[in-house]
Amino acid sequence: TLKIAFRQDPELLLFPTLTLLFVLLGSGGTYYAASASAEAFGLLPMQPPLIALAAAAVLMPFGLMFSTFCTTRTVQVRLNGGNASLLQSFGFGLRNLHRVVLWLLLSTGAFLVLGSLRSAIRKVADNLGPLGDLLEGPVMWLFETAWRISRVLVVPAMAVSYTHLTLPTNR
């Protein structure tokens, strides 16, 4: 039987650690920018500079997508009888970096569209009165759930479908 064990595949722990690093860098950058702007203006950190927010908004999802891409590749190789090293999986992620960046851009666009959709649904709900209040939550829930499910499944599907290496078989 085939087992995936962290002793045999330490990269399965290292890629989530990489994600954590991106999240910490993104949130640390935002905190630094917010505190620097508060200090410069003598205000509470109401609104950090836009560049810091943009960096955090890009670093966190990028780290998550990139490590998911690499982890999926590692698991795929392992399930096909191979043993992908950390460098092989990382190299696969770097060779397909353009796909990760394109998905990041698409995700950002979808986030903006969902925000606009939320505002439009809220306006319609306000016009419908109590019925609109009743319908607003479930309608938004459907759109957001559909997006969340597709977002979780697309990155691993991209990693599997764009495999350019020949995987060993167990025949």
Side-chain angles (χ1 to χ4, degrees):
T1 63
L2 184 63
K3 292 182 182 177
I4 294 179
F6 291 122
R7 256 183 262 135
Q8 293 173 336
D9 300 303
E11 56 274 356
L12 293 178
L13 288 176
L14 293 175
F15 287 123
T17 305
L18 180 66
T19 300
L20 179 64
L21 179 68
F22 276 106
V23 168
L24 290 175
L25 285 172
S27 57
T30 302
Y31 175 77
Y32 174 75
S35 61
S37 65
E39 190 175 307
F41 295 108
L43 302 169
L44 292 174
M46 295 279 195
Q47 206 170 23
L50 187 59
I51 189 99
L53 287 176
V58 168
L59 277 177
M60 289 186 225
F62 173 79
L64 178 65
M65 289 177 207
F66 183 77
S67 69
T68 301
F69 208 82
C70 294
T71 302
T72 302
R73 174 66 180 154
T74 303
V75 170
Q76 180 189 21
V77 168
R78 185 75 179 139
L79 290 175
N80 283 298
N83 191 9
S85 69
L86 177 66
L87 289 177
Q88 288 171 334
S89 297
F90 197 74
F92 177 77
L94 289 176
R95 282 191 307 276
N96 291 285
L97 194 62
H98 61 287
R99 290 182 177 93
V100 175
V101 170
L102 285 173
W103 179 245
L104 178 68
L105 292 173
L106 181 67
S107 294
T108 303
F111 177 76
L112 295 173
V113 167
L114 277 175
S116 298
L117 186 62
R118 185 179 293 113
S119 296
I121 288 173
R122 190 166 293 131
K123 285 181 185 176
V124 170
D126 288 344
N127 291 337
L128 293 176
L131 178 64
D133 292 339
L134 187 65
L135 294 175
E136 178 184 358
V139 169
M140 275 313 300
W141 180 84
L142 284 172
F143 283 114
E144 289 173 351
T145 301
W147 173 244
R148 285 183 186 125
I149 290 170
S150 64
R151 191 177 66 202
V152 166
L153 296 176
V154 165
V155 175
M158 284 175 25
V160 170
S161 65
Y162 291 114
T163 300
H164 297 294
L165 302 173
T166 306
L167 296 173
T169 59
N170 287 334
R171 292 185 187 172

